[in-house]
Amino acid sequence: MAKVVVLGAGIAGHTAAAHLRRKLSKDHEVVVVSPNSNYQWVPSNIWVGIGKMTSKQIIFPLEPLYKRKGIKFKQAKVVDFFPEGSSDLDKAHVSVEYVAGEKKGTKELVDYDYLINATGPKLAFDLTPGLNPGKNNTYSVCTYGHATEAWEGLEKLIQKAKTSNEKQKILIGTGHPKATCQGAAFEYILNVEKLLSDLKVRDKFDVKWISNEYELGDFGMDGLLLKYGSKNIPSSEMVEMLFRDRNIDWITEAGVTEVEDGKVHYETLDGQKHTEEFDFAMLIPAFSGHGFKAYDKANNDITDKLFKGFMIVDADYTPKPHEEWTVQDWPETYQNPSFSNIFAPGIAFAPPHSISKPRKSESGLEIFPSPPRTGMPSGITAKLVADNIIDIINKGTHELHHKGSLGNMGAACIASAGYGAFTGSGVSITTYPIVPDFKKYPDSHGRKLGKTFGEVGLAGHWLKLFLHYAFLYKAKMKPFWWIIPE
Amino acid sequence: MEITKFQRFLMMNPIIQFFRFIFLSLKIMIVVAGGHGGTRK
């Protein structure tokens, strides 16, 4: 009998647990440890942030589902890793602390045969002084709670604007020089703009984009050359076209260094320092590792064997200049090289480097997006990790046959550009591969044209809505859920 | 680049967009479910 412990119940953790449970016999144990009692479909947070959905529509409680399916659930946070065991317990284990219920505050050692670390990122608001959701007129849409709060703030501002002659300033984008997840901010700004237009108050607002991207449409993926209709255009042109059409102004190359009440301080690549005022801001924070510690059997600190901020996996972490980066640097199996029974899919693995070209301001401040690894790649990497563990348990194989490098994986980003059954729109973008392969596709910015394309229109909105219901159906493990691809 | 009136009509016409929805769904399935793998030998 094998015991697989999954840390985290987000897109990666929940996907891994669901596949493990479906394919492993009941003789084997699947345990999920997560501080969150709910599963949330994160891509729909932006609709909660404009009041078009409630948080209840994008979440469901995990415990009843796991009970029905035979997955053990512990609502707890992981504290330390003991991959060799410890003086308290011989077997490899993690120490966890319960965060709710009768056991709240109680610590427990959870042993495992296989460990999947899918703890995602820490939302590192603390890395930008003054950036704190709900404070200083700044908000976030990173969680359903934050998105609910953002809608409350936005709704108040809309009411204020209706009775005021002064223009209100909305600022949306990234809140740290190395923040990622520009896509979520991009969706949110377009949805906010559409909402203001629908409410016929658009003329009372200045809507501005602020980002650490070198140019619009970088999205932390070094931009894309994509097929748009009959043309091949850079993603920067497509985003610029949309922003001009919506009368959205933009600031790029901006590393936000501090937030005050209604003010954001930022530095640009030329080393200049600026201030931008706002009445409402939604700024994506930096993502960081959780600061976990790891110990060997003799209680010596071995954190550097497991973590490099995020978890170390089968990537090539050798420092090298941007010109020498290759797709082979990126991991294939998400297995920790020191402990072969530990894996880290989704956002929990440490990337070898960014995808966008690293840039420093004249004062030495690094201003460029970190690599995005959200949504679809999280699900795909979690499934392949689960499949490898299933093969090891069922077939006794030691070679990992399921591989999925971001350099050999396609992804779709269906970005909402406004909500409405017949007035909404979406920007549908697919990319292949996610990490550009400049050797394979030297003439199309490292990606395969045709498989890398963009389209704007009402169909994109329907598609995003369809995916919302389809992926919640899948996450609830309803009949034939596994047919829906990650 | 800018969105012309005709392009806007194409983008927002529900009948045209219904067919684009089917086309996009299939195309995305091909890209995403088209498989993935390693990059090293």
Side-chain angles (χ1 to χ4, degrees), chain A residues 228 241-242 244-246 456-458, chain B residues 2-14 16-17:
Chain A
Y228 180 78
M241 173 185 79
L242 283 163
R244 282 191 195 286
D245 187 61
R246 305 283 191 97
V456 185
L458 178 57
Chain B
E2 66 174 51
I3 300 172
T4 63
K5 274 189 176 178
F6 179 65
Q7 282 173 332
R8 199 181 307 278
F9 165 76
L10 295 178
M11 283 175 184
M12 301 309 293
N13 183 292
I16 295 166
Q17 289 297 308

Side-chain angles (χ1 to χ4, degrees), chain A residues 385-435:
Chain A
V385 162
D387 283 338
N388 278 326
I389 292 174
I390 291 160
D391 280 356
I392 296 169
I393 293 172
N394 287 343
K395 299 176 188 167
T397 55
H398 291 288
E399 207 179 323
L400 305 181
H401 294 290
H402 301 274
K403 293 178 180 177
S405 163
L406 299 194
N408 186 5
M409 184 188 296
C413 172
I414 314 300
S416 173
Y419 195 95
F422 293 102
T423 59
S425 68
V427 184
S428 311
I429 296 174
T430 65
T431 175
Y432 181 86
I434 297 167
V435 175

Side-chain angles (χ1 to χ4, degrees), chain A residues 228 233 237 241 245 314-315 327-332 376 380 403-405 407-408 412 414 422-424 428 430 450-451 453 455-459 462-463 485, chain B residues 1-4 7-8 10-41:
Chain A
Y228 180 78
I233 63 165
E237 269 187 40
M241 173 185 79
D245 187 61
D314 60 321
V327 284
Q328 284 75 30
D329 300 341
W330 288 79
E332 295 181 331
M376 200 166 278
I380 293 172
K403 293 178 180 177
S405 163
N408 186 5
I414 314 300
F422 293 102
T423 59
S428 311
T430 65
K451 277 190 167 185
F453 76 96
E455 183 165 319
V456 185
L458 178 57
W462 292 341
L463 202 52
Chain B
M1 279 177 70
E2 66 174 51
I3 300 172
T4 63
Q7 282 173 332
R8 199 181 307 278
L10 295 178
M11 283 175 184
M12 301 309 293
N13 183 292
I15 297 163
I16 295 166
Q17 289 297 308
F18 174 73
F19 291 104
R20 296 306 296 174
F21 172 76
I22 294 167
F23 170 77
L24 277 173
S25 303
L26 293 172
K27 187 145 188 178
I28 286 166
M29 282 289 281
I30 290 165
V31 172
V32 176
H36 49 265
T39 53
R40 305 168 196 152
K41 294 280 176 188

Side-chain angles (χ1 to χ4, degrees), chain A residues 433-445:
Chain A
I434 297 167
V435 175
D437 188 339
F438 292 102
K439 278 189 186 159
K440 217 168 175 182
Y441 308 108
D443 303 323
S444 48
H445 200 61

